[in-house]
Amino acid sequence: MSAFIGNFEESNRLRERARDLIPGGAHTYAKGDDQYPILSPGFIARGQGCHVWDVDGNEYIEYGMGNRAVGLGHAYAPVLDAVRKELEYGCNFTRPASIEVECAETFLEMVRGADMVKFSKNGSDATSGAIKLARAVTGREMIARCSDHPFFSVDDWFIGTTEMNTGIPEAIRQLTLGFKYNDIESLRSLFRLHPGKIAAVILEATRGEHPKDRFLHKAMELCRSNGALFILDEMITGFRWHSGGAQELYNIEPDLSCFGKALGNGFSVSALAGKREFMERGGLEQTAHPRVFLLSTTHGAETHALAAAIATMRIYRDEPVIEHLYRQGEALQVGIGQAITRHGLQDHFYLTGQPCCLAFATLDRNLKPSQAFRTLFLQETIRRGILAPSLVVSYTHGDEDIERTVEAFDGALGVYKLALERGVGHYLVGRPSDLVFRRFNRPPLPADEVLVANNG
């Protein structure tokens, strides 16, 4: 791996083509150019374990891991073997494939608080399916979602609450309410203000800090006493906090829960799971209630993706994956923490979250969160062969990878300290990155800034 990386010629060529052909230049906002420095790889060519290579041949130790979807490692052999075998039989038929039953059985053995499961392709399918089901069960329209948790769905019920709500009717936007994590009174007040109107409460079990004073259990009790459904979004926590999900770790059984991301080690599969009394509303057997059009997707049960999910779940069941994630995350915490202290940056840069799913905070000289300093830090870690929008470890992050990451962070923090003293503009090439949820875009970079960036 090169000590310093700066050639992005092919990435920059593809960037121009992508912007002309694809709105935003990517199919996922979190992967867009506005989320990364000018000096960064625009396109990844391949991955192996926790290493990736961009289209210019630069190699990185990667920590985004497909927006947390790749828990075992890129091109993980046992998963690929299962996928290859299944592909030989075809991937989509007129009637269900037997692997759909096998995958459901495997999933429900892992997620023990659920009775039934339905698979789809992405997290938004699952969470929006849960919302629709909750509304059907309760006959209510309003949804309470945790405002501290940044993303639940691409659908209107959630996006209408963000800055990017253009195109979403006001009537829909008014149906979703917000409450604070670990603040049970903020949720209780919503039930008081909207008696008999809230269909469901949806939140992640945690974004990093553990629930305090039985917060999750109290939230569920509030739902039960007010006739609402309690929904856990386990897209990130599932198969990362615990092989049975955060619900197993925190000993709570939600009415409905939603899984994805690490469920298939990067293959496209998600799951809506829950109690039989609710899930069967989308089935064929119940006759007491109107039918719910729950989840029905042409590609929702593609056999190769389900094969990937089965192989992935069995690895989590049989091997110490979760223990490895925590151990390597803790090693990062210690090593990077020591580097932060050496540079005297404790007030300006720190790690957040649990060891299995770390992130970092970047503050300016006024101790305010700073996109400019975040972008500078990403720029400098990328130069040192680390691609880390967060610090999401995988089963293939070895001790040497951790050591090299700590060394790269140490070097980047040295530049960070200089930028605090002299100004970030002396070190950052081009514009800072942006928040995904913003009302307007910034004007394009001036030509001279683009030229500087393209010349490395």
Side-chain angles (χ1 to χ4, degrees):
M1 184 181 298
S2 302
F4 287 92
I5 294 170
N7 175 26
F8 303 112
E9 182 177 347
E10 181 63 10
S11 272
N12 289 332
R13 185 189 71 79
L14 285 172
R15 277 185 173 107
E16 293 304 312
R17 290 292 293 141
R19 289 169 183 163
D20 188 48
L21 300 171
I22 304 166
H27 295 287
T28 307
Y29 277 115
K31 298 182 182 182
D33 276 343
D34 61 338
Q35 300 301 295
Y36 287 88
I38 293 295
L39 296 182
S40 66
F43 295 84
I44 302 299
R46 65 186 179 93
Q48 184 65 54
C50 68
H51 291 240
V52 296
W53 290 260
D54 68 16
V55 292
D56 292 285
N58 300 310
E59 181 185 354
Y60 308 88
I61 300 171
E62 197 217 337
Y63 285 92
M65 302 309 293
N67 295 340
R68 300 179 178 86
V70 182
L72 300 175
H74 299 295
Y76 198 74
V79 176
L80 293 188
D81 290 343
V83 170
R84 289 191 192 99
K85 179 180 178 181
E86 196 62 38
L87 280 174
E88 293 295 323
Y89 306 130
C91 68
N92 209 330
F93 312 107
T94 303
R95 297 300 308 277
S98 60
I99 197 172
E100 297 180 39
V101 177
E102 183 183 3
C103 193
E105 289 174 339
T106 306
F107 180 90
L108 292 171
E109 287 170 2
M110 301 288 286
V111 183
R112 294 182 293 181
D115 302 316
M116 302 183 80
V117 62
K118 197 151 188 179
F119 297 114
S120 192
K121 299 309 287 182
N122 59 70
S124 294
D125 292 343
T127 54
S128 291
I131 295 303
K132 183 194 298 182
L133 186 55
R135 284 170 165 163
V137 167
T138 63
R140 304 171 180 178
E141 295 184 343
M142 302 190 89
I143 302 298
R145 68 97 171 175
C146 184
S147 301
D148 297 314
H149 299 163
F151 189 82
F152 288 100
S153 174
V154 300
D155 293 307
D156 289 359
W157 69 268
F158 168 71
I159 296 297
T161 68
T162 74
E163 286 294 307
M164 290 179 69
N165 56 24
T166 303
I168 300 173
E170 178 68 21
I172 293 176
R173 288 155 56 182
Q174 294 300 319
L175 292 177
T176 302
L177 314 167
F179 65 93
K180 303 293 288 181
Y181 187 75
N182 269 338
D183 182 352
I184 196 64
E185 184 56 37
S186 71
L187 180 57
R188 185 176 287 114
S189 68
L190 291 183
F191 281 110
R192 281 200 301 262
L193 289 169
H194 306 279
K197 294 182 179 180
I198 296 175
V201 169
I202 185 169
L203 74 165
E204 297 181 65
T206 172
R207 286 294 292 188
E209 63 174 319
H210 290 301
K212 300 174 182 176
D213 190 27
R214 298 185 66 254
F215 172 73
L216 292 179
H217 293 79
K218 288 180 178 179
M220 185 172 67
E221 290 161 6
L222 269 177
C223 288
R224 301 276 161 80
S225 62
N226 286 276
L229 268 62
F230 182 71
I231 305 170
L232 277 187
D233 179 342
E234 293 244 34
M235 294 299 156
I236 291 174
T237 54
F239 303 99
R240 183 162 288 278
W241 261 248
H242 191 285
S243 58
Q247 57 194 270
E248 182 84 12
L249 180 66
Y250 296 131
N251 190 30
I252 190 168
E253 291 189 3
D255 297 314
L256 302 171
S257 55
C258 307
F259 288 76
K261 291 192 183 288
L263 172 60
N265 197 48
F267 283 86
S268 180
V269 58
S270 64
L272 168 59
K275 299 300 183 184
R276 186 175 304 277
E277 63 183 290
F278 308 125
M279 293 291 290
E280 66 182 2
R281 295 286 190 101
L284 302 178
E285 284 72 34
Q286 70 88 21
T287 57
H289 306 282
R291 297 183 67 198
V292 177
F293 193 88
L294 189 51
L295 284 172
S296 181
T297 53
T298 298
H299 303 289
E302 280 179 324
T303 55
H304 65 278
L306 297 187
I310 293 169
T312 299
M313 287 187 283
R314 288 175 177 169
I315 292 165
Y316 274 84
R317 181 193 65 191
D318 298 337
E319 299 184 30
V321 179
I322 299 296
E323 293 86 346
H324 181 87
L325 302 185
Y326 277 92
R327 182 172 60 252
Q328 299 302 68
E330 288 166 359
L332 284 172
Q333 282 182 315
V334 171
I336 294 172
Q338 290 172 346
I340 292 169
T341 300
R342 277 197 302 273
H343 292 285
L345 292 173
Q346 300 93 317
D347 293 333
H348 300 277
F349 186 97
Y350 56 88
L351 301 185
T352 64
Q354 294 301 307
C356 62
C357 193
L358 291 167
F360 52 83
T362 54
L363 281 62
D364 62 19
R365 65 178 65 183
N366 296 316
L367 306 184
K368 301 293 185 182
S370 170
Q371 286 296 119
F373 274 92
R374 172 178 171 81
T375 312
L376 172 65
F377 189 76
L378 289 176
Q379 171 186 289
E380 293 304 311
T381 48
I382 286 169
R383 289 182 69 208
R384 292 162 173 81
I386 306 296
L387 186 57
S390 55
L391 282 168
V392 180
V393 292
S394 76
Y395 196 33
T396 47
H397 279 87
D399 294 343
E400 183 180 349
D401 300 307
I402 300 300
E403 291 168 5
R404 292 167 75 173
T405 301
V406 170
E407 181 182 355
F409 268 56
D410 189 29
L413 288 169
V415 178
Y416 197 107
K417 184 174 183 178
L418 291 172
L420 284 170
E421 296 168 354
R422 297 190 58 204
V424 69
H426 287 281
Y427 300 93
L428 176 61
V429 176
R431 46 91 186 121
S433 61
D434 276 306
L435 299 173
V436 167
F437 293 118
R438 58 186 189 274
R439 190 68 173 168
F440 295 99
N441 290 325
R442 281 195 255 179
L445 276 174
D448 57 343
E449 288 192 40
V450 176
L451 180 63
V452 168
N454 287 346
N455 288 339

